[in-house]
Amino acid sequence: MKYKAALLLLLLLFFHGFSVKAIQRFPRPEFETAYSQPETLLPQARAEVMEVVDVVVLALSLSLVSWLVLKKRSRKGVFWMSLFSLAYFGFYREGCVCSIGSIQNIALALFDRNYILPLTAVVFFILPLVFALFFGRTFCAGVCPFGALQDMVSFYPQKTGPKLNGLLGMVPYLYLGFAILYAATGTDFIICRYDPFVGIFRMNASFGMFLFGGLLLITGIFLARPYCRFLCPYGVLLNWASRLSHRHLTITADECIRCRLCEDSCPYDAIDLPLTDKSPETRSSRIRKMAWIVVLIPALTFLGAGTGFLLHTTFAGVNNKVILAKQLATPANQQIKPEPFSVTAFRTSGKSVESVNLEAREVIRRFKTGALALGGFIGLVFGLVIARRMTGRWHDDYLPDKGHCFSCARCIDYCPVKTKLPKNTP
Amino acid sequence: MKQKTLLFGALGMLVVLILFMVKDLFLSSPEPGNNPWKYDLETMKQADTMKPAYTMVKAIPSGLQGLVAIATGPGDRIYTTGAGGAEIYDSACRLLLRFDFEDTAYALTVDSTGNLWMSMGDHVEVWNKTGKKLQTLKSAGRGSLITSLALTGSSLLIADAGLKVVYHYDHMGNMINRIGEKDPVRKVPGFVIPGPWFDLAVSPDGSLWIANPGRHELEQYRFDGQRLLSWGKPGIGIPEFCGCCNPSHFTFLPDGSFVTSEKGIERIKVYNPRGKFSAVVALPGDFDEGTRGLDLATDSRGRILVVDPVRKQIRIFVKRSTTSNN
Ligand code: SF4
């Protein structure tokens, strides 16, 4: 506990170092030339006091949901809280700032000294993780508007089974890796680019965005919380933090009586069934497995890193500077007609082709390291997932899988053991 | 069976969505053609469909070379200045006097005796109503460009767009204090003035208001420099202030309401004394494109007088319901 608190303090101090209070933008001068500058349109800044309100609402919501889950064990309470969060963080705050997207702000701030990291983004990034570290994913249960929206449509959830869960469960790791890579290289905030629900919250988006969000919600009718389980990059971090939580929700209030009533209660396949009939492993089989794991994890990590390195130019191809350099290098007869705006803008900027190429080369150089790290990370995750499967831990209770459980408290309602019995009860 | 179909249907849809993301990220090429970020003022101007509550009743052609500033004086006389001269009209818009000088007057205010206090760039000159120079105040310094003046019983307030500060002088030209310089201790944010548009005015109840165009705000100050209040929001909507730096000019109606003018999208609007939008006076369709420097004045009858430097006119607007009285 002490260790966690110290870690948390260190993290807060570390990120606080990056935060600088937002300052008034510097206005452009009006020069006395024939050129008339176009007027700029500014989005309305959110009052500072309202940002504090957001942070307070987040902290209170997390505390309340954690209390409802762990102390009150109330599914009803969690449901009402998720409705509130959907209304406040979703429709009122229009899905911004969100913890999911804040990953990118943090990544960019770590790699770009000039980026001013908003303090609100830091808090939205850290606070749900801190709660997960102590109490499990209570953020997912009743604070995240994305989760709440998907929960509202989850009418006929179907079981996916461990294999599909495992396979599709790799996507968030890839998404997280790419989101960090592209944010850190200043390429794009892809989590925001493919945000499925912000258009619905704002009632204002392109047709493509609405379609994307709509189709995901339709998917969510039969596949509970598809974004949270198979896409959400922040879910990866919450998963890690939640695995360490001591006070995670339990399905039963006391000893599990293995009545099997909760077995099918979880729409997210997040209940670990008892592993009771496991025949004791021989020593040689355990050694063999360990040897495999010891070889497999580094091998997959190196393989991933190598693949990432080989693909670094493909990954860098998303960056605007690289795209522009490629277009300028394309022979005239193969160029896109009429020329893209980026090319027109370049021609009027007075910049030289050489300077664009230099910039693109620098971006590609950064991608070399980034893609190598990304590949290594994905390989490592693959290795760890396989290792976990090979070494299933014996237990005879129905337990929530701490990493994947959203602490939604549904299963609690199915359990007939509602209170903790006093010790020495026969 | 049915459950399996539903499950695989949903999984298929999810996989398609993931593939769409991958394709969009890695395989899409830049769109040919138009500028997706084009700032199209025209469509925004057309969006201003709110009907003005004011109407123009008169446009007085000015004989001045360049028309810059306007003020009203005793008896609702109308005073204008600009490049090389000044004009005085009576309240019925008949020309009483025109006199010349060498410089350009950038700002104007009129005292209770009808004397004209004019900014000649970096300093203030006082001329009487017969066109005789009475006094020249000290220059505010290098880089100074005085764009607005206001008088109270004992004070002269000077807005300096060049040095981005307001000076509080006595009537003899002695500086009392400076107002609006950035001061985090007193919570004064400083003026953001990207162009030669920096206005101030004293309200009918005697309080000092200064435009902070880069912040799209009007700010109220005590004469000792203490910042009290502010209002105003950036935006393209009618109640907001558009562009990089607006309002460019403002003044007060006799009831304490604010009258503001903007450049970029030429608009004149009225806000109540608490800064809440209340009426439109004129919209872009009432001006030639690119008109800037719509200096404002009001008279005791609540008429709004506007300098139109492009058409070289003093244009007078009145509330629609009172049109028949004018
Ligand atoms: S609380 Fe229970 S039902 Fe809800 S996600 Fe966790 S295991 Fe599944």
Side-chain angles (χ1 to χ4, degrees):
Chain A
M1 215 61 168
K2 263 185 191 166
Y3 166 73
K4 275 186 200 169
L7 188 74
L8 161 69
L9 198 66
L10 265 177
L11 265 175
L12 275 171
L13 284 172
F14 177 65
F15 282 112
H16 189 72
F18 287 96
S19 67
V20 179
K21 262 188 122 191
I23 51 161
Q24 174 81 12
R25 82 210 147 75
F26 189 77
R28 297 166 310 168
E30 285 188 354
F31 299 106
E32 291 287 315
T33 68
Y35 174 70
S36 76
Q37 271 185 337
E39 307 285 330
T40 42
L41 174 63
L42 273 182
Q44 233 161 274
R46 187 155 169 87
E48 265 176 46
V49 59
M50 288 312 289
E51 287 181 8
V52 176
V53 171
D54 290 342
V55 168
V56 171
V57 174
L58 176 73
L60 287 179
S61 304
L62 282 166
S63 310
L64 193 57
V65 174
S66 304
W67 178 74
L68 285 167
V69 170
L70 297 170
K71 282 274 177 219
K72 298 299 281 181
R73 299 174 62 78
S74 162
R75 168 67 198 151
K76 221 186 243 171
V78 174
F79 171 77
W80 286 113
M81 268 311 294
S82 67
L83 265 192
F84 165 78
S85 303
L86 179 62
Y88 185 83
F89 293 111
F91 289 99
Y92 171 60
R93 286 294 290 112
E94 300 181 336
C96 204
V97 160
C98 81
S99 301
I100 308 170
S102 66
I103 296 171
Q104 304 161 122
N105 302 78
I106 304 287
L108 182 56
L110 286 173
F111 290 90
D112 182 353
R113 281 154 165 246
N114 298 323
Y115 177 65
I116 296 169
L117 179 61
L119 192 59
T120 336
V122 180
V123 178
F124 268 71
F125 176 74
I126 288 185
L127 217 49
L129 289 174
V130 171
F131 272 77
L133 198 61
F134 287 93
F135 310 120
R137 297 171 68 169
T138 49
F139 173 74
C140 306
V143 186
C144 175
F146 280 34
L149 184 63
Q150 293 169 90
D151 248 356
M152 300 294 138
V153 299
S154 172
F155 300 124
Y156 303 108
Q158 307 296 319
K159 295 245 163 236
T160 28
K163 277 192 192 135
L164 272 173
N165 279 341
L167 196 68
L168 284 170
M170 285 307 297
V171 178
Y173 290 94
L174 282 163
Y175 199 176
L176 174 70
F178 277 110
I180 293 176
L181 176 68
Y182 285 129
T185 50
T187 301
D188 203 348
F189 276 16
I190 59 168
I191 298 175
C192 303
R193 181 162 159 180
Y194 300 111
D195 186 325
F197 303 128
V198 79
I200 295 171
F201 292 147
R202 292 178 189 177
M203 304 287 178
N204 180 12
S206 65
F207 174 71
M209 260 181 118
F210 271 129
L211 188 69
F212 188 54
L215 288 178
L216 204 59
L217 283 182
I218 294 172
T219 309
I221 298 175
F222 310 107
L223 200 63
R225 290 200 180 201
Y227 185 84
C228 307
R229 290 159 72 198
F230 306 126
L231 281 167
C232 182
Y234 191 60
V236 172
L237 305 181
L238 289 167
N239 177 327
W240 290 341
S242 179
R243 279 175 199 280
L244 302 174
S245 61
H246 279 309
R247 300 220 44 205
H248 193 280
L249 161 143
T250 53
I251 299 173
T252 173
D254 201 8
E255 290 266 300
C256 177
I257 54 171
R258 286 174 285 285
C259 63
R260 302 182 61 186
L261 285 172
C262 67
E263 206 171 79
D264 291 324
S265 64
C266 181
Y268 316 115
D269 283 334
I271 294 181
D272 273 348
L273 305 184
L275 291 173
T276 43
D277 56 356
K278 203 165 169 264
S279 46
E281 264 189 313
T282 57
R283 198 178 128 82
S284 62
S285 129
R286 263 184 308 179
I287 291 175
R288 233 191 351 264
K289 265 188 190 171
M290 280 316 291
W292 261 111
I293 289 170
V294 167
V295 174
L296 193 72
I297 293 180
L300 283 175
T301 309
F302 280 116
L303 188 71
T307 315
F309 184 77
L310 288 177
L311 289 173
H312 76 273
T313 41
T314 311
F315 297 162
V318 174
N319 186 286
N320 280 331
K321 287 175 183 161
V322 179
I323 294 173
L324 179 63
K326 264 193 204 160
Q327 282 166 348
L328 296 176
T330 309
N333 58 351
Q334 290 168 29
Q335 274 177 4
I336 304 168
K337 293 276 164 19
E339 72 178 11
F341 178 68
S342 51
V343 178
T344 317
F346 160 75
R347 293 199 200 291
T348 48
S349 71
K351 264 173 125 177
S352 68
V353 177
E354 193 38 50
S355 70
V356 173
N357 287 339
L358 265 178
E359 284 177 3
R361 269 201 289 276
E362 171 57 22
V363 171
I364 292 173
R365 191 192 61 75
R366 294 181 72 190
F367 265 88
K368 247 183 215 168
T369 331
L372 186 108
L374 169 67
F377 167 70
I378 300 297
L380 177 69
V381 170
F382 259 111
L384 290 173
V385 168
I386 295 170
R388 190 160 179 258
R389 288 197 172 270
M390 286 167 79
T391 57
R393 271 203 291 157
W394 180 89
H395 61 95
D396 61 359
D397 287 353
Y398 284 81
L399 297 173
D401 169 349
K402 279 189 187 177
H404 294 106
C405 168
F406 295 133
S407 294
C408 72
R410 274 189 183 86
C411 49
I412 290 174
D413 283 354
Y414 287 77
C415 182
V417 182
K418 296 290 181 207
T419 48
K420 201 167 177 64
L421 296 173
K423 273 193 181 148
N424 306 326
T425 309
Chain B
M1 182 61 205
K2 195 180 149 212
Q3 284 180 344
K4 278 227 156 121
T5 318
L6 287 176
L7 174 65
F8 283 112
L11 281 172
M13 189 117 81
L14 182 66
V15 171
V16 168
L17 290 176
I18 294 170
L19 290 177
F20 158 77
M21 286 164 66
V22 173
K23 189 213 153 257
D24 184 68
L25 191 62
F26 293 112
L27 302 174
S28 58
S29 44
E31 279 191 28
N34 287 338
N35 176 359
W37 298 284
K38 188 172 173 193
Y39 188 74
D40 194 351
L41 268 183
E42 282 317 303
T43 52
M44 287 169 188
K45 284 178 181 178
Q46 278 154 21
D48 286 348
T49 50
M50 193 178 284
K51 196 168 178 326
Y54 281 70
T55 184
M56 194 183 77
V57 289
K58 209 161 256 172
I60 314 167
S62 167
L64 295 175
Q65 272 307 312
L67 204 48
V68 178
I70 189 164
T72 50
D76 278 345
R77 285 187 174 176
I78 303 163
Y79 298 73
T80 60
T81 59
E87 288 176 337
I88 304 172
Y89 298 85
D90 68 12
S91 63
C93 308
R94 286 183 296 259
L95 181 67
L96 302 177
L97 177 75
R98 177 180 302 140
F99 60 90
D100 297 333
F101 41 76
E102 276 179 10
D103 299 326
T104 294
Y106 293 94
L108 167 71
T109 189
V110 177
D111 65 21
S112 54
T113 61
N115 290 339
L116 293 86
W117 296 63
M118 293 183 280
S119 150
M120 296 300 182
D122 65 345
H123 68 277
V124 175
E125 291 180 7
V126 187
W127 294 61
N128 72 10
K129 57 191 170 197
T130 60
K132 192 165 162 276
K133 192 189 323 188
L134 303 177
Q135 194 184 349
T136 301
L137 306 189
K138 272 202 306 275
S139 164
R142 250 190 92 190
S144 160
L145 177 63
I146 296 166
T147 51
S148 186
L149 299 167
L151 283 164
T152 66
S154 57
S155 302
L156 166 66
L157 284 314
I158 296 177
D160 190 330
L163 301 177
K164 300 176 181 13
V165 70
V166 167
Y167 306 108
H168 178 197
Y169 280 38
D170 65 17
H171 284 196
M172 299 312 297
N174 302 311
M175 197 197 303
I176 300 169
N177 58 305
R178 296 153 74 98
I179 299 173
E181 279 171 314
K182 192 170 179 170
D183 182 352
V185 179
R186 297 177 85 184
K187 296 206 167 128
V188 179
F191 298 117
V192 182
I193 305 157
W197 322 107
F198 183 32
D199 205 359
L200 59 74
V202 175
S203 71
D205 67 6
S207 49
L208 168 64
W209 286 84
I210 305 170
N212 199 341
R215 289 179 188 271
H216 303 89
E217 280 182 350
L218 289 168
E219 298 175 350
Q220 189 192 2
Y221 285 83
R222 267 195 339 225
F223 284 80
D224 65 3
Q226 182 63 50
R227 187 172 181 265
L228 300 173
L229 297 171
S230 72
W231 64 267
K233 278 185 192 160
I236 211 77
I238 293 251
E240 292 140 6
F241 296 123
C242 65
C244 76
C245 36
N246 269 312
S248 61
H249 298 84
F250 76 99
T251 187
F252 288 96
L253 283 167
D255 69 354
S257 294
F258 296 82
V259 186
T260 64
S261 74
E262 285 160 81
K263 61 193 171 57
I265 297 178
E266 304 85 5
R267 307 192 284 203
I268 298 173
K269 297 173 292 187
V270 178
Y271 295 82
N272 77 10
R274 298 173 66 88
K276 194 166 178 296
F277 168 75
S278 71
V280 168
V281 178
L283 286 173
D286 297 312
F287 302 96
D288 294 338
E289 201 173 330
T291 300
R292 307 204 287 182
L294 296 169
D295 193 22
L296 301 165
T298 58
D299 66 12
S300 61
R301 286 184 281 166
R303 299 190 303 175
I304 297 172
L305 297 90
V306 182
V307 152
D308 186 332
V310 175
R311 295 190 190 175
K312 295 198 173 130
Q313 289 172 343
I314 301 153
R315 300 171 66 177
I316 302 177
F317 292 83
V318 299
K319 243 193 172 143
R320 282 189 188 274
S321 52
T322 61
T323 314
S324 52
N325 303 332
N326 293 276

